[in-house]
C-alpha cells in the first residue's frame, strides 16, 4: 500500500481523520480564561497562507482526512477566511468543514461561508445573560452573536452548536436559562470544563468546577443521555422530550477522556501538535512550500504520529507548554 493511502493511526489503535487547523493566533475578544488582556503581538505575524493551507490539507487528505475544523485565535478575523473555506472544502475526501468562532461577524457572512463549503459551525457563548457575556468576553456583543447564530440556524448547515466554558459563576447561576434557550432551537449547547493552561493558574483555581454538577442537574430535570455514535467526539449529550435542542458536557479531566481521541492539530504557524496539552510539536512548514514535497510531508506526519502519547497529564497538573488556547486553537 502506498504510504499516502494508509489511514492515520497511532500505537494505541486510535484513528485520526479529523484535523483542527488554527489559521491565526489573533483574536478580537478578551475572554477572561483565555486572553484576559486581549491578544498582544509578540512576534512577526506569519501565519499559514492559503497556498500553504491547500498543500497541508491535500497532504492530510491523502492519509484519510475527512473533517477539518478551522479555529484560532478568532479564525474569522482573517480577511481571506472565505478563500480558506473554499480551499479546504475542495480537498478530496474532506466531507466536513467546520469552524469554531466567537460569532462577532457571523450575521454578516453566514450565507457566504455556507455557499463556500462550510458545513458545521460551533459558536462560543459562555453566558446568555448580556452583562455576564460582556464581563467574560470584554465585549457587549451578545445580541450580535445571537443574531448570527439564529441566521446560521436558518441556513442548511449540517450542524450548528454552541460551546460554553463551564465557570463557577455560570454554574452557580444555574442552567434553567439554557434549557429555555434550547426549547425551540434545534442545537446542542455543550459545556466544556475549564482547562488549566500556563497562563491561567490562579483563574483556574478560582473558577474551575467539575461537570458533575451539570450532570446531576440534567438528570434531576428529566434530561437523558442521547445514544452515542461510534465515531462521536468527547461530548456526552442529553436530550429532553420538551426541548428541540440538546445540552452536553465535555469533561477533559474525566478518566478515559483521551481514549476516543480522533484529532490532530496544526498551529497557525504550521506545527503539527499531537496533543493540545503536549509540548512543542513537529514543524511541517518547510514542506508546504512546494507541491512536489507532498510525499515528504505525508511521511513526516505518519512518522510523527508514533510519538503521540496515550493521554494528557492534566490530572497531575501538567498542561504541557500551552499558555492559552488561542495560541494553538482550542
Ligand atoms: N475564538 C474562537 C472561539 O472562541 O470560539 C476559536 C478559538 S477558542 C480558543 C476555541 C474554544 O476554546 C472556545 O470555545 C473557547 O471558549 C474554548 N476555550 C478557550 N480557553 C479555554 C480553557 N482554558 N478551557 C476550556 N475551554 C477554553
Ligand atoms: Fe478569543 Fe476564542 Fe480565546 Fe475568547 S476563547 S479570547 S474568542 S480565542
Amino acid at each position: 500500500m502506498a504510504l499516502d493511502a494508509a489511514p492515520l493511526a497511532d500505537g494505541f489503535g486510535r484513528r485520526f481523520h479529523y484535523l483542527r487547523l488554527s489559521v491565526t493566533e489573533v483574536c478580537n475578544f478578551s475572554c477572561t480564561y483565555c486572553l484576559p488582556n486581549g491578544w498582544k503581538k509578540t512576534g512577526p505575524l506569519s501565519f499559514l497562507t492559503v497556498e500553504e493551507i491547500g498543500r497541508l490539507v491535500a497532504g492530510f487528505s491523502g492519509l484519510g482526512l475527512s473533517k477539518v475544523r478551522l479555529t484560532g485565535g478568532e479564525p474569522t478575523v482573517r480577511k481571506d477566511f472565505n478563500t480558506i473555506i473554499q480551499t479546504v472544502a475542495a480537498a478530496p475526501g474532506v466531507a466536513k468543514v467546520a469552524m469554531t468562532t466567537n460569532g462577532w461577524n457571523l450575521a454578516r457572512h453566514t450565507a457566504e461561508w455556507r455557499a463556500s463549503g462550510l458545513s458545521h459551525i460551533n459558536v462560543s457563548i459562555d453566558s446568555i445573560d448580556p452583562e455576564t457575556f460582556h464581563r467574560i468576553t470584554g465585549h457587549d456583543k451578545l445580541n450580535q452573536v445571537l443574531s448570527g447564530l439564529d441566521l446560521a440556524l436558518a441556513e442548511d448547515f449540517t450542524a450548528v452548536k454552541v460551546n460554553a466554558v463551564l465557570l463557577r459563576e455560570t454554574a452557580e447561576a444555574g442552567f434553567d436559562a439554557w434549557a429555555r434557550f434550547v426549547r425551540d432551537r434545534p442545537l446542542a449547547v455543550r459545556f466544556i470544563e475549564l482547562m488549566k493552561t500556563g497562563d491561567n493558574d490562579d483563574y483556574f483555581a478560582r473558577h474551575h468546577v467539575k461537570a458533575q454538577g451539570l450532570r446531576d442537574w440534567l438528570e434531576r430535570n428529566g434530561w437523558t443521555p442521547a445514544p452515542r455514535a461510534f465515531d462521536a467526539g468527547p461530548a456526552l449529550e442529553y436530550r429532553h422530550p420538551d426541548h428541540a435542542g440538546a445540552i452536553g458536557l465535555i469533561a477533559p479531566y474525566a478518566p478515559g477522556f483521551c481514549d476516543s481521541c480522533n484529532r490532530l492539530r496544526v498551529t497557525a504557524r504550521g506545527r503539527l501538535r499531537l496533543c493540545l496539552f503536549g509540548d512543542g510539536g513537529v514543524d511541517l512548514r518547510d514542506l508546504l512550500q512546494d507541491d512536489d514535497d507532498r510525499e515528504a510531508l505525508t511521511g513526516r506526519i505518519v512518522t510523527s504520529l508514533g510519538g503521540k502519547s496515550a493521554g494528557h497529564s492534566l490530572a497531575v497538573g501538567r498542561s504541557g507548554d500551552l499558555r492559552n488556547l488561542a495560541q494553538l486553537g482550542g
Side-chain angles (χ1 to χ4, degrees):
M1 186 186 281
L3 179 62
D4 69 356
L8 272 177
D10 72 359
F12 303 96
R14 297 174 296 193
R15 306 270 296 258
F16 299 91
H17 56 84
Y18 175 17
L19 173 67
R20 294 174 78 109
L21 174 60
S22 174
V23 297
T24 181
E25 293 163 9
V26 179
C27 187
N28 54 348
F29 276 21
S30 42
C31 300
T32 46
Y33 48 80
C34 182
L35 294 173
N37 302 313
W39 175 78
K40 298 273 186 297
K41 187 166 186 255
T42 52
L45 292 187
S46 94
F47 304 133
L48 293 174
T49 63
V50 171
E51 289 71 28
E52 289 171 320
I53 289 173
R55 293 189 189 106
L56 178 83
V57 175
F60 273 96
S61 104
L63 294 166
L65 181 74
S66 62
K67 175 174 176 183
V68 177
R69 177 172 300 280
L70 301 170
T71 180
E74 174 49 41
T76 69
V77 300
R78 272 191 68 153
K79 294 207 165 40
D80 54 0
F81 186 62
N82 197 42
T83 316
I84 294 176
I85 295 174
Q86 289 166 346
T87 305
V88 172
V94 175
K96 298 179 182 175
V97 183
M99 76 159 165
T100 304
T101 177
N102 63 29
W104 72 288
N105 62 355
L106 194 52
R108 209 173 331 140
H109 295 286
T110 311
E112 179 194 2
W113 293 337
R114 177 71 194 105
S116 294
L118 190 70
S119 57
H120 293 64
I121 300 189
N122 284 15
V123 188
S124 301
I125 305 175
D126 298 326
S127 170
I128 41 169
D129 170 64
E131 264 177 45
T132 313
F133 180 93
H134 186 173
R135 188 155 19 86
I136 294 174
T137 62
H139 288 265
D140 186 10
K141 288 194 168 32
L142 179 64
N143 285 338
Q144 189 175 317
V145 173
L146 291 181
S147 308
L149 180 74
D150 285 331
L151 280 173
L153 279 174
E155 294 282 337
D156 67 335
F157 285 101
T158 308
V160 176
K161 296 181 180 172
V162 168
N163 289 345
V165 178
L166 190 60
L167 301 170
R168 185 172 299 282
E169 68 169 311
T170 51
E172 283 172 358
F175 302 102
D176 293 338
W178 281 110
R180 286 193 295 278
F181 187 76
V182 297
R183 189 158 45 215
D184 299 317
R185 287 183 177 88
L187 55 74
V189 175
R190 290 116 46 93
F191 289 89
I192 310 170
E193 252 187 51
L194 177 66
M195 294 181 258
K196 186 166 161 185
T197 63
D199 284 353
N200 76 5
D201 260 25
D202 291 351
Y203 185 94
F204 181 85
R206 280 180 284 120
H207 296 272
H208 176 255
V209 282
K210 291 206 167 116
Q212 187 61 40
L214 169 60
R215 199 187 286 240
D216 294 344
W217 181 90
L218 288 165
E219 288 171 5
R220 269 199 318 275
N221 287 278
W223 294 77
T224 48
R228 280 170 68 78
F230 79 98
D231 61 346
L236 182 61
E237 284 187 6
Y238 285 71
R239 293 203 163 265
H240 189 291
D242 301 338
H243 296 258
I247 297 185
L249 45 97
I250 301 177
Y253 291 89
F257 179 79
C258 302
D259 298 353
S260 58
C261 184
N262 62 359
R263 65 222 32 214
L264 296 171
R265 292 181 162 83
V266 171
T267 71
R269 294 175 196 265
R271 289 185 85 79
L272 172 65
R273 184 86 176 192
L274 299 171
C275 174
L276 186 56
F277 296 102
D279 288 290
V282 179
D283 192 19
L284 301 178
R285 202 159 189 183
D286 59 309
L287 297 177
L288 301 177
Q289 307 313 310
D290 196 319
D291 292 336
D292 290 346
D293 286 334
R294 177 144 165 230
E295 205 169 314
L297 174 67
T298 53
R300 192 179 290 171
I301 295 168
V302 170
T303 309
S304 307
L305 207 61
K308 185 165 165 68
S309 60
H312 61 57
S313 307
L314 290 176
V316 290
R318 281 204 299 275
S319 49
D321 62 5
L322 179 69
R323 293 199 321 275
N324 54 62
L325 266 71
Q327 197 196 348
L328 276 196

